[in-house]
Amino acid sequence: MSARLPVSGSFPTVRPRRLRQSPAVRDLARETDVLPRHLVLPAFVREGLSAPAPIGSMPGVVQHSVDSLRRAAVEAAEAGISGIMLFGVPAVRDAVGSGADDPEGILNVATAAVAAEVGDALVVQTDLCLDEFTDHGHCGVLDANGAVDNDATLERYVSMGLAQARAGSGLLGLSGMMDGQVGAVREALDAEGFTDTLILGYAAKYASAFYGPFREAVDSQLHGDRRTYQLDPGNRREGVREALIDEAEGADVVMVKPAMAFLDVLREVRDAVTVPVWAYQVSGEYAMIEAAAANGWIDRRAAVLESLLSIRRAGADVVLTYWATEAAGWIRAQ
Ligand code: PBG
């Protein structure tokens, strides 16, 4: 016997294609979009540069001088994106990352310069982690056995967070994956009167191969890996657990990172917490699309916009992406 088809009078009776028939109908039917305000630009500033220096593994991205960073921040604001996340590359490193909480350290100096330049047009944000500032490249300080010492690191994060808030950062991006980091930094900020300084907890930050190009961008000194503090890529529930802990400790925003290889985690975190959820489209995601586009294997602009849309659809309220300013320009021109 042949299967009965859902025929009643005319066939077929159910026509999903009706909602795809023209650009205007598709506009009415689209569930997700990407607007400039959904984007934040990560940017690198390197001590001692007088002109921007290209990053080989991230074509189109540079290490900025303080002056070129200021200009990039103005362009980002003009493009209508919401924020800029600053990463510092110091000239000198040591075991405890002294440059991180030095008011004259590159990241703090650059933060003050950018904040003075753009005012409230962008949320000026700072990476709060020691890895760029330590001579061993780990995100925290080491104990006598060479292991990353969680609680000693928290003291360094508190000091770094206060230095960043004093420099004018509006949002501290706690990316080091130490237990208790959100609670410790929140308490210290509040005690010093920085009750309006936002905290982004990198809640579900995975030990990922997709950070490869970033390590060149910040001249990373790391040998080995970060598997004792970043999450195992096999674990989804643990990502949700970390997000719930960060929310309970007072994080204003939580993060899932990387984005595209962890969209399932992103969706689960979005469903589990009530604070905004951001996702970080990391250096390796950027480099893959750029490399394929440079070879003529992919339509660069379409692939970038689709990647951002997919991250938003999975549940990101905001996406950190190296394409933020450029993509905002495309979106506004559409
Ligand atoms: C560490 C940090 C990393 C990234 C952002 N913050 C690298 C790491 O954990 O090794 C990666 C960002 C990217 O790959 O674009 N503070």
Side-chain angles (χ1 to χ4, degrees):
M1 224 173 72
S2 63
R4 290 279 304 190
L5 293 167
V7 185
S8 80
S10 71
F11 169 81
T13 53
V14 181
R15 293 181 182 272
R17 285 188 56 199
R18 202 177 287 130
L19 285 168
R20 302 174 202 143
Q21 62 184 282
S22 68
V25 173
R26 290 196 293 276
D27 279 348
L28 286 175
R30 192 168 307 113
E31 300 169 35
T32 310
D33 54 12
V34 183
L35 300 174
R37 73 174 185 89
H38 298 134
L39 305 176
V40 168
L41 177 71
F44 305 104
V45 56
R46 179 173 190 151
E47 186 170 5
L49 285 185
S50 49
I55 300 166
S57 54
M58 300 175 72
V61 179
V62 300
Q63 293 179 329
H64 282 288
S65 66
V66 174
D67 272 349
S68 73
L69 178 68
R70 266 203 211 117
R71 287 193 295 275
V74 169
E75 272 176 42
E78 285 170 358
I81 70 169
S82 293
I84 186 165
M85 172 67 81
L86 306 179
F87 292 86
V89 185
V92 179
R93 299 175 164 93
D94 63 20
V96 296
S98 301
D101 53 337
D102 179 349
E104 299 303 315
I106 180 63
L107 181 53
N108 297 320
V109 166
T111 300
V114 171
E117 186 78 38
V118 298
D120 288 336
L122 285 179
V123 180
V124 178
Q125 320 180 8
T126 42
D127 184 55
L128 199 170
C129 188
L130 288 175
D131 63 315
E132 288 95 12
F133 296 94
T134 53
D135 54 12
H136 46 74
H138 274 294
C139 294
V141 295
L142 306 182
D143 66 17
N145 301 318
V148 174
D149 184 333
N150 192 89
D151 298 7
T153 300
L154 293 183
E155 291 177 30
R156 298 290 301 129
Y157 285 2
V158 161
S159 178
M160 188 176 184
L162 290 172
Q164 293 182 348
R166 288 183 194 120
S169 177
L171 179 149
L172 311 183
L174 276 64
S175 67
M177 292 301 288
M178 295 300 124
D179 292 338
Q181 60 184 11
V182 170
V185 173
R186 181 74 272 160
E187 189 180 298
L189 289 172
D190 290 351
E192 296 273 322
F194 291 110
T195 51
D196 284 341
T197 306
L198 294 154
I199 290 183
L200 161 67
Y202 276 54
K205 179 175 181 183
Y206 287 84
S208 172
F210 293 102
Y211 305 148
F214 177 93
R215 305 259 165 104
E216 180 187 333
V218 299
D219 202 3
S220 173
Q221 306 297 302
L222 184 70
H223 299 284
D225 60 54
R226 306 195 196 286
R227 291 181 187 276
T228 70
Y229 42 105
Q230 298 180 347
L231 296 185
D232 186 314
N235 294 355
R236 191 177 66 211
R237 288 195 312 266
E238 197 181 357
V240 175
R241 180 180 188 221
E242 286 276 6
L244 290 171
I245 292 169
D246 279 5
E247 186 179 42
E249 287 185 20
D252 301 286
V253 181
V254 296
M255 176 88 95
V256 175
K257 176 183 176 187
M260 290 179 77
F262 295 86
L263 296 180
D264 56 332
V265 179
L266 182 53
R267 168 48 56 191
E268 290 223 15
V269 167
R270 175 60 291 166
D271 291 343
V273 301
T274 56
V275 292
V277 178
W278 293 8
Y280 197 141
Q281 184 177 49
V282 302
S283 57
E285 301 176 64
Y286 176 89
M288 283 192 298
I289 292 179
E290 288 292 341
N295 276 291
W297 296 337
I298 201 168
D299 177 335
R300 178 172 179 272
R301 176 172 160 163
V304 168
L305 289 173
E306 186 178 322
S307 72
L308 295 173
L309 188 66
S310 73
I311 296 164
R312 288 265 305 140
R313 190 192 63 236
D317 297 294
V318 165
V319 185
L320 273 80
T321 174
Y322 299 100
W323 289 299
T325 302
E326 189 179 12
W330 297 334
I331 293 162
R332 284 154 65 111
Q334 266 171 6

